[in-house]
Amino acid sequence: MNKTAQIKKNHQFIKFRKLVIVSILIGFLSAFLGISLKKITEYYEEIFFHEVSVNPIFYIIFPVFGLSVIYFLRQYLFKKKENKGIKEVFESTKTTKNLPSYKIPSHFINGLLTVIFGGSTGIEVSTVVATATIGSVAHEKENVFRQYKTELICAGVAAGVTALFSSPIAGILFALEVISRKVTRAFIISNVIAVSIAFGLLTILKEEPLFAVSIATWHLKAIPYFILLGILAGINSVYLTRCVLFFKSQFGKIDTHYYKILIGSAVLSISLFTFPQLYGEGYHAIKGIFGSSSQLPLTITLALTFIGILILKPIVTSITLASGGDGGVFAPSLFIGAFLGLLLASILNTFFHVNVIPVNFMIIGMAAVLSASIHAPFTAIFLVCGLTNDYTLFFPILVVCLISKYTAKTIYPYTVYSYSPSLIK
């Protein structure tokens, strides 16, 4: 009896040791992939955006070229399979189907090309699926890992999100709230190790927060206005979700893929020419309004510009994705939230003289729209705090994220990840 117990104990120890080793490997590879994609995208997006600013003809050339290259790569290099985003990860965790290894270069390359050539989305979902694939491939390599498929996929996702947003807590929470939705001992072990390795790599590389923002304080008198922001964020997120579903449905009826590319690039070109802020991830535009938010007087022209951006961004993002671009709603949600927050703060200060702090509204707006778009409030809180490396606004962000999520769920109970085609009207 003692011998049987000892053998079982040894087997458990070997399994634990292998889980630790593979989690370290997944954490390093996923973080390296996430950091590389982020750095390469930032570098080339800045160069290409400068080119379109100097030569507006590139507003026409870049979108059609980018979408065409992605199409030909898919046809001749990536097995003619369209990328479905995070839905691919869900399918893998809920079935015996594994994520094929070609998804790593497919999402890496297509995500990069989409953004640098002006596609109005972000690399976050491309990173999530590519890093989830790293976890999926690792799970296939050893029989002992077969029961840990979801945990290892989540470890890759958590490390990838950590690499992008410098927040290990956001990485684990995203894997939990969106992918796994349950906690096991193996989940805790693999994910904590993976995000620790990812954060360690960020520390060695001395990665700076994406947004260098100074947050001094917040005032209790602003709470009613924060609540209003949460409700508006929920409404905007539903608009984004419905746009994505609608345009994917409409473009799905077009049989000739090159018609999709031509229509998509035409809409994208006109939109980018009208509002250059919509180019790529849009982080350049967010940094710009962060820098000038306190000195930005609200004029009719500026208000109409902000409203136009808020109306157009979900449409352009949806068409980018529907016409073959790779990406998701992470970056668009942060973008919409920042502009929504600044618009609301500017209206309140200009017409109602309540003297709220615009930067606070921008940061809370970013978290609120993301929370409502993916129905993951705790991920949104730590992700946005990680982006700014500041937790001063933690309490108002918590309140507003919960309000925005439940506002969105009340209006429309699905996200772009959870919808079924049968739900599209």
Side-chain angles (χ1 to χ4, degrees):
M1 189 69 179
N2 288 340
K3 192 175 180 182
T4 306
Q6 187 63 41
I7 291 169
K8 192 175 178 181
K9 190 176 178 182
N10 289 342
H11 179 68
Q12 288 294 110
F13 176 74
I14 290 167
K15 199 155 70 166
F16 173 78
R17 189 178 64 185
K18 286 188 175 182
L19 183 63
V20 169
I21 292 168
V22 80
S23 299
I24 292 170
L25 188 61
I26 289 170
F28 176 77
L29 291 175
S30 298
F32 187 77
L33 183 148
I35 294 167
S36 301
L37 182 54
K38 180 171 69 170
K39 288 292 186 188
I40 295 168
T41 304
E42 284 174 356
Y43 179 76
Y44 284 105
E45 186 183 5
E46 186 178 340
I47 292 172
F48 285 32
F49 183 63
H50 175 73
E51 285 300 316
V52 296
S53 304
V54 176
N55 303 298
I57 187 68
F58 285 121
Y59 279 124
I60 298 170
I61 296 171
F62 282 173
V64 72
F65 180 78
L67 290 172
S68 298
V69 171
I70 290 168
Y71 171 70
F72 287 119
L73 283 173
R74 184 175 295 134
Q75 287 296 105
Y76 300 108
L77 194 61
F78 300 131
K79 304 186 180 182
K80 300 185 179 180
K81 301 282 187 182
E82 286 200 27
N83 290 332
K84 300 177 189 174
I86 289 181
K87 284 182 75 68
E88 294 174 278
V89 182
F90 289 148
E91 286 173 10
S92 180
T93 56
K94 290 175 182 175
T95 65
T96 55
K97 187 177 174 185
N98 291 313
L99 288 164
S101 56
Y102 75 84
K103 288 289 177 185
I104 298 171
S106 170
H107 280 280
F108 188 101
I109 295 168
N110 292 348
L112 169 67
L113 292 174
T114 299
V115 172
I116 66 174
F117 285 111
S120 199
T121 180
I123 58 165
E124 293 80 12
V125 169
S126 303
T127 305
V128 164
V129 183
T131 53
T133 305
I134 291 173
S136 180
V137 170
H139 131 270
E140 290 180 74
K141 296 299 178 186
E142 282 267 359
N143 282 333
V144 74
F145 299 139
R146 294 294 159 90
Q147 70 188 90
Y148 299 138
K149 180 181 180 180
T150 299
E151 286 86 350
L152 294 180
I153 286 174
C154 285
V157 169
V161 171
T162 299
L164 290 181
F165 298 107
S166 304
S167 176
I169 299 173
I172 291 175
L173 286 172
F174 179 78
L176 178 61
E177 286 188 292
V178 178
I179 310 295
S180 174
R181 299 185 184 176
K182 64 178 181 180
V183 180
T184 63
R185 192 172 71 163
F187 177 92
I188 294 169
I189 293 167
S190 58
N191 281 256
V192 168
I193 290 171
V195 300
S196 299
I197 295 296
F199 194 66
L201 190 57
L202 287 172
T203 305
I204 291 167
L205 295 173
K206 295 182 171 60
E207 282 292 291
E208 296 291 323
L210 183 59
F211 300 118
V213 183
S214 177
I215 304 164
T217 186
W218 64 277
H219 303 291
L220 285 172
K221 68 176 185 179
I223 287 178
Y225 309 116
F226 289 154
I227 292 170
L228 175 61
L229 177 59
I231 295 167
L232 292 174
I235 294 167
N236 272 266
S237 76
V238 171
Y239 173 50
L240 172 60
T241 299
R242 294 295 287 173
C243 277
V244 172
L245 302 186
F246 174 77
F247 284 105
K248 280 197 171 183
S249 170
Q250 296 306 307
F251 273 63
K253 297 172 185 175
I254 302 172
D255 294 327
T256 307
H257 196 91
Y258 221 77
Y259 290 161
K260 296 181 188 180
I261 292 173
L262 290 173
I263 295 167
S265 55
V267 173
L268 198 51
S269 296
I270 295 166
S271 303
L272 296 180
F273 185 79
T274 309
F275 296 110
Q277 298 93 332
L278 299 174
Y279 192 99
E281 294 174 316
Y283 291 156
H284 56 91
I286 296 174
K287 289 174 183 176
I289 59 173
F290 265 134
S292 59
S293 60
S294 55
Q295 299 91 31
L296 211 60
L298 185 69
T299 61
I300 295 296
T301 304
L302 189 62
L304 290 175
T305 299
F306 282 5
I307 292 166
I309 286 170
L310 289 172
I311 291 170
L312 204 53
K313 176 66 175 181
I315 295 172
V316 179
T317 294
S318 304
I319 289 175
T320 298
L321 299 175
S323 54
D326 201 83
V329 298
F330 259 80
S333 295
L334 297 173
F335 180 94
I336 291 165
F339 276 87
L340 175 65
L342 182 55
L343 176 62
L344 178 59
S346 301
I347 290 171
L348 290 170
N349 288 340
T350 303
F351 299 108
F352 300 94
H353 309 291
V354 296
N355 201 27
V356 295
I357 303 169
V359 167
N360 290 2
F361 274 68
M362 289 175 63
I363 292 167
I364 294 170
M366 289 164 70
V369 176
L370 181 61
S371 166
S373 295
I374 63 175
H375 290 182
F378 296 101
T379 297
I381 294 163
F382 286 96
L383 189 146
V384 170
C385 288
L387 281 176
T388 57
N389 197 27
D390 195 307
Y391 287 79
T392 305
L393 297 173
F394 184 87
F395 177 73
I397 290 175
L398 170 62
V399 172
V400 176
C401 281
L402 291 172
I403 291 169
S404 67
K405 176 194 170 181
Y406 288 107
T407 299
K409 281 194 84 168
T410 301
I411 300 169
Y412 187 70
Y414 306 99
T415 68
V416 291
Y417 307 146
S418 63
Y419 83 97
S420 164
S422 61
L423 298 169
I424 301 174
K425 305 297 183 192

